[in-house]
């Protein structure tokens, strides 16, 4: 949400990441659920890319996104023109609050009381459900994972699989408590029960809200990738369809979509193609039997323009929301998505959320990483996530004094104790004589070295100082 947001919904204090991470690490159920799920997703991704020249495909995907971003202002104008010609009404929102107001106004104009929603991370970013509820409009999630999360009054823990933190038993208990289904570990029964409950909602909903995976400027087409069919029903059954998306999702042509789609489905769920690929190019025409009477697109900025103005941070906007970086991240796999307290968890969240909520608020996020580089290696569009994490770590301490508008908030200065330690380190390393004296003294008194060195040694053995310095060993070899 923007800094002036009023409807906080499920907002969690990001600064509490460390306590939440500790709690998750000591929760064996969460550890088991995520470990099992992530191992499965990694295996499926690996199998899906067998026989493909993955690096060439990744390079192609990166170039498609870079070309789109390089021409973003022109492509957005072209997209608006084509969509308008196709009969789709285009709205621009500077932040999440304005986007929510636009959706509300469309609903109010139609006297809408019920909204059925397909999966949309931007709507999560906007906290749309809570806003509509406060306005007297019921919003029901139709994606199975999002539906489960909504029943539990939680937020998604993964951008592709929102309820991945829950096992079958937990889902069965939740549905039994909230909807009256029988307690059962039969996945097909639980899925069929949820489908039956949602079917009536689809038929009676006044408005359908969806996300957008790719917006094609050349043809004015909104592309929606899904597996359950709820996205197709959300966009065709209600008389009014509202799509919400970030301004970065635009691509030049349908040809560009093919490369990104091949990368997205394999990286996200290990599928060669999803069950459904929807292409929406306008409202129902006079001779057509189904489809919405109105189609709206809300293009949401919410800090993206600030990211766009920075040549390095611009790479963040390449993201196609596949979740592969999360699936391979050793930190995310162990603490889960809720520990981050943000809309977008995991590696992509660590580089995106500081722009959306402010670096002061999200300064702990870039440090929630081992910098192992796995996220950068698997990213289908080659976002240099580790490099961006290092950049944001520096800014979280020093502040972005040259470009303060690029990341909202200047970061928190390091503590006086930490600053004194680093000043001492710099002073010692600037003088060869002092450095040699210090290292020599350290080796002589190595027995006094403490076994604990802060939180780092809670799970690791503290390194021991050497018995002799490098200079001493070199002298011995020379003699």
């Amino acid at each position: 949400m923007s800094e002036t947001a009023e409807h906080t919904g499920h907002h969690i204090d990001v600064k509490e990441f460390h306590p939440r991470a500790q709690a998750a690490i000591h929760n064996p159920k969460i550890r088991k659920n995520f470990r099992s799920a992530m191992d499965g997703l990694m295996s499926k991704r690996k199998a899906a890319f067998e026989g493909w020249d993955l690096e060439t495909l990744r390079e192609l995907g990166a170039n498609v996104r870079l070309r789109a971003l390089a021409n973003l202002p022109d492509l957005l104008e072209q997209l608006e023109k084509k969509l308008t010609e196709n009969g789709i009404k285009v709205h621009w929102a500077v932040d999440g609050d304005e986007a929510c107001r636009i959706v509300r106004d469309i609903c109010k104009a139609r006297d809408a009381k019920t909204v059925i929603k397909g999966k949309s991370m931007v709507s999560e970013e906007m906290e749309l459900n809570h806003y509509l509820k406060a306005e007297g409009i019921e919003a029901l999630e139709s994606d199975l994972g999002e539906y489960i999360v909504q029943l539990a009054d939680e937020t998604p823990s993964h951008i592709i699989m929102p309820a991945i933190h829950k096992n079958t038993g937990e889902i069965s208990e939740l549905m039994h408590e909230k909807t009256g289904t029988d307690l059962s570990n039969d996945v097909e029964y639980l899925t069929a029960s949820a489908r039956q409950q949602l079917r009536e909602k689809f038929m009676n909903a006044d408005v359908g809200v969806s996300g957008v995976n790719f917006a094609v400027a050349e043809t004015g087409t909104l592309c929606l990738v899904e597996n359950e069919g709820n996205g197709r029903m959300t966009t065709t059954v209600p008389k009014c369809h509202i799509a919400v998306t970030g301004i970065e999702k635009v691509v030049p042509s349908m040809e560009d979509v093919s490369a990104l789609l091949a990368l997205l489905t394999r990286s996200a769920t290990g599928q060669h193609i999803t069950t459904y690929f929807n292409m929406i190019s306008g409202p129902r025409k006079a001779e057509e039997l189904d489809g919405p009477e109105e189609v709206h697109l809300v293009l949401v900025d919410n800090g993206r323009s600030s990211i766009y103005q920075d040549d390095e941070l611009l790479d963040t906007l390449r993201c196609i929301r596949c979740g592969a970086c999360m699936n391979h991240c050793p930190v995310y796999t162990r603490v889960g998505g809720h520990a981050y307290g943000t809309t977008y968890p995991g590696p992509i969240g660590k580089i995106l959320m500081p722009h959306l909520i402010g670096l002061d608020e999200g300064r702990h996020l870039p440090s929630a990483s081992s910098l192992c580089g796995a996220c950068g290696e698997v990213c289908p569009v080659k976002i240099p996530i580790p490099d961006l994490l290092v950049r944001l770590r520096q800014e979280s301490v020093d502040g972005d004094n040259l470009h303060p508008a690029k990341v909202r908030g200047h970061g928190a200065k390091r503590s006086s104790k930490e600053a004194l330690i680093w000043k001492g380190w710099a002073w010692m390393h600037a003088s060869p004589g002092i450095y040699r004296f210090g290292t020599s003294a350290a080796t002589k008194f190595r027995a006094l070295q403490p076994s604990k060195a802060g939180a780092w040694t809670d799970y690791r053995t503290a390194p021991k100082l050497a018995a002799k310095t490098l200079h001493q060993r070199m002298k011995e070899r020379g003699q």
Side-chain angles (χ1 to χ4, degrees):
M1 293 299 298
S2 66
E3 291 176 313
T4 59
E6 295 178 358
H7 55 284
T8 56
H10 278 106
H11 178 73
I12 303 174
D13 187 359
V14 180
K15 297 175 182 177
E16 296 299 313
F17 168 77
H18 293 292
R20 287 195 301 270
Q22 286 294 322
I25 287 173
H26 292 95
N27 186 324
K29 186 177 289 187
I30 289 179
R31 294 286 298 273
K32 182 179 180 181
N33 290 352
F34 273 92
R35 181 75 273 172
S36 175
M38 298 301 103
D39 285 349
L41 288 170
M42 287 190 289
S43 297
K44 289 179 181 178
R45 175 189 176 275
K46 183 178 180 180
F49 280 117
E50 284 183 4
W52 286 68
D53 185 349
L54 178 54
E55 286 310 304
T56 299
L57 186 59
R58 289 179 70 220
E59 191 68 34
L60 175 60
N63 288 334
V64 167
R65 292 300 296 132
L66 285 170
R67 182 163 64 95
L69 291 171
N71 298 286
L72 184 59
D74 292 337
L75 288 175
L76 286 170
E77 290 184 6
Q78 183 185 6
L79 176 68
E80 181 181 30
K81 180 182 178 182
K82 281 294 182 180
L83 288 171
T84 303
E85 290 175 0
N86 293 346
I88 297 177
K89 300 176 183 178
V90 180
H91 310 263
W92 300 84
V94 69
D95 57 22
D97 278 345
E98 185 175 8
C100 285
R101 290 195 296 270
I102 291 170
V103 174
R104 176 203 62 191
D105 291 345
I106 296 171
C107 291
K108 294 285 188 182
R110 298 187 63 87
D111 195 27
K113 302 299 181 185
T114 58
V115 169
I116 192 81
K117 288 180 70 259
K119 193 169 186 309
S120 167
M121 288 308 298
V122 173
S123 72
E124 293 286 347
E125 184 182 319
M126 295 159 51
E127 297 183 358
L128 178 61
N129 290 5
H130 303 287
Y131 185 94
L132 293 179
K133 183 178 180 180
E135 295 289 330
I137 301 171
E138 178 191 12
L140 181 69
E141 297 286 352
S142 64
D143 174 86
L144 182 57
E146 292 277 3
Y147 176 64
I148 292 167
V149 166
Q150 188 176 34
L151 285 178
D153 195 29
E154 296 175 347
T155 56
S157 59
H158 192 283
I159 63 174
I160 298 297
M161 300 182 177
I164 203 167
H165 57 289
K166 292 186 180 297
N167 58 36
T168 306
E170 291 172 307
I171 293 171
S172 176
E173 291 177 7
L174 175 66
M175 291 184 65
H176 173 71
E177 177 187 344
K178 298 291 185 177
T179 68
T181 57
D182 295 335
L183 288 172
S184 172
N185 286 328
D186 184 345
V187 175
E188 290 187 7
Y189 165 74
L190 295 173
T191 303
S193 299
R195 184 181 293 119
Q196 184 64 36
Q197 293 160 12
L198 289 169
R199 183 73 59 171
E200 184 179 349
K201 298 290 186 180
F202 276 119
M203 302 310 296
N204 296 324
D206 299 310
V207 173
V209 174
S210 76
V212 177
N213 290 99
F214 312 109
V216 184
E218 183 180 63
T219 58
T221 305
L222 308 178
C223 300
L224 183 59
V225 183
E226 52 145 343
N227 274 314
E228 300 174 16
N230 64 296
R232 181 160 297 183
M233 294 190 71
T234 297
T235 59
T236 56
V237 176
K239 292 183 178 180
C240 177
H241 168 218
I242 306 172
V244 294
T245 189
I247 59 173
E248 80 279 12
K249 291 295 185 70
V250 64
V251 294
S253 67
M254 290 299 299
E255 184 180 357
D256 296 312
V257 171
S258 62
L260 296 178
L261 179 62
L263 285 163
L264 173 60
T265 57
R266 288 167 174 81
S267 298
T269 55
Q271 295 174 277
H272 293 285
I273 187 68
T274 49
T275 311
Y276 297 89
F277 181 77
N278 307 293
M279 293 183 285
I280 302 161
S281 296
R284 178 198 305 185
K285 294 180 174 59
E287 68 276 9
E288 294 177 337
L289 299 178
D290 56 16
E293 298 171 353
E294 289 183 17
V295 178
H296 299 259
L297 174 65
V298 183
L299 288 162
V300 184
D301 187 325
N302 203 30
R304 289 164 173 80
S305 292
S306 295
I307 302 173
Y308 185 75
Q309 296 174 47
D310 189 296
D311 292 339
E312 187 178 8
L313 297 176
L314 170 67
D315 289 331
T316 306
L317 299 180
R318 289 192 220 170
C319 180
I320 58 174
R321 304 293 192 268
C322 69
C325 61
M326 301 178 193
N327 304 341
H328 291 75
C329 175
V331 177
Y332 175 88
T333 300
R334 285 160 178 79
V335 303
H338 288 154
Y340 295 86
T342 56
T343 303
Y344 303 99
I348 187 61
K350 297 170 197 173
I351 61 174
L352 178 60
M353 290 307 300
H355 305 286
L356 303 186
I357 64 176
L359 193 54
D360 282 337
E361 180 78 8
R363 66 186 181 90
H364 295 293
L365 296 174
S367 296
S369 169
S370 64
L371 292 181
C372 66
C375 51
E377 291 177 11
V378 300
C379 177
V381 289
K382 305 187 74 169
I383 301 174
I385 298 177
D387 294 340
L388 297 179
L389 286 171
V390 172
R391 156 83 182 265
L392 290 172
R393 284 185 181 191
Q394 180 181 354
E395 290 182 2
S396 70
V397 174
D398 298 332
D400 186 6
N401 296 317
L402 291 176
H403 306 96
K406 303 294 177 66
V407 180
R408 292 185 229 170
H410 289 273
K413 299 295 183 182
R414 59 167 65 102
S415 66
S416 300
K417 180 181 177 181
E418 184 181 357
L420 183 62
I421 290 173
W422 283 114
K423 283 182 179 179
W425 182 92
W427 173 71
M428 186 176 79
H429 282 72
S431 171
I434 295 173
Y435 175 81
R436 291 180 181 179
F437 173 80
T439 54
S440 177
T443 58
K444 290 179 180 178
F445 296 102
R446 60 193 294 265
L448 301 178
Q449 178 187 350
S451 59
K452 290 287 185 181
W456 193 85
T457 54
D458 287 345
Y459 304 97
R460 307 171 183 84
T461 302
K464 292 290 185 181
L465 290 168
K468 296 180 180 179
T469 68
L470 175 63
H471 291 93
Q472 290 170 339
R473 291 184 182 277
M474 293 302 294
K475 281 185 179 181
E476 290 176 357
R477 288 193 178 190
Q479 291 173 351

